[in-house]
Amino acid sequence: MQNMAEDPTQQQITLVDDNGEETLYDVLFTFKSEDFNRSYILIYPAGKKDDEEVEIQAYALPAGDDPSDPQGGELQPIQTDKEWDMIESVLNTFLGKDGDDQSDADSNAGDNQ
């Protein structure tokens, strides 16, 4: 019998920092941006519970890497604000959020006129 709590398709990657320390990350999702002609990967530390706050990290995949089957290699840091804005937008859509938490308060503020 299979334990349903663990997703058997969960992709994981290991990042090695400057000190040679290895950290295991779960892959949240990968996607390709036609605008920037690059593919991106969003990851978070492995072993976190669903209700725990996690820091999601984003990287660009090496040129030519297939986002549906990343082959590894050197992940590229995101360098421009435009890319960060686009990634944040995709992430919010993925998480089912429309914009940031402030927008709800702002949109209701005008209703009292």
Side-chain angles (χ1 to χ4, degrees), residues 17-66:
D17 68 16
D18 296 339
N19 302 325
E21 298 281 326
E22 293 187 359
T23 308
L24 186 64
Y25 287 87
D26 287 331
V27 176
L28 184 62
F29 66 96
T30 58
F31 69 98
K32 182 173 176 72
S33 167
E34 299 299 333
D35 292 343
F36 293 97
N37 199 25
R38 294 174 86 178
S39 296
Y40 300 90
I41 185 167
L42 278 74
I43 58 175
Y44 59 95
K48 297 289 185 190
K49 296 180 179 52
D50 288 344
D51 57 354
E52 249 181 289
E53 275 284 314
V54 295
E55 182 183 335
I56 297 171
Q57 298 183 34
Y59 294 93
L61 292 171
D65 209 354
D66 178 359

Side-chain angles (χ1 to χ4, degrees), residues 42-104:
L42 278 74
I43 58 175
Y44 59 95
K48 297 289 185 190
K49 296 180 179 52
D50 288 344
D51 57 354
E52 249 181 289
E53 275 284 314
V54 295
E55 182 183 335
I56 297 171
Q57 298 183 34
Y59 294 93
L61 292 171
D65 209 354
D66 178 359
S68 64
D69 184 26
Q71 296 305 306
E74 197 67 36
L75 295 179
Q76 313 293 315
I78 312 298
Q79 293 169 330
T80 67
D81 287 342
K82 282 186 177 176
E83 278 181 284
W84 276 121
D85 290 346
M86 177 273 300
I87 290 167
E88 202 170 293
S89 171
V90 171
L91 177 60
N92 285 337
T93 301
F94 177 82
L95 296 174
K97 295 179 184 174
D98 294 324
D100 58 27
D101 297 337
Q102 298 299 314
S103 63
D104 291 344

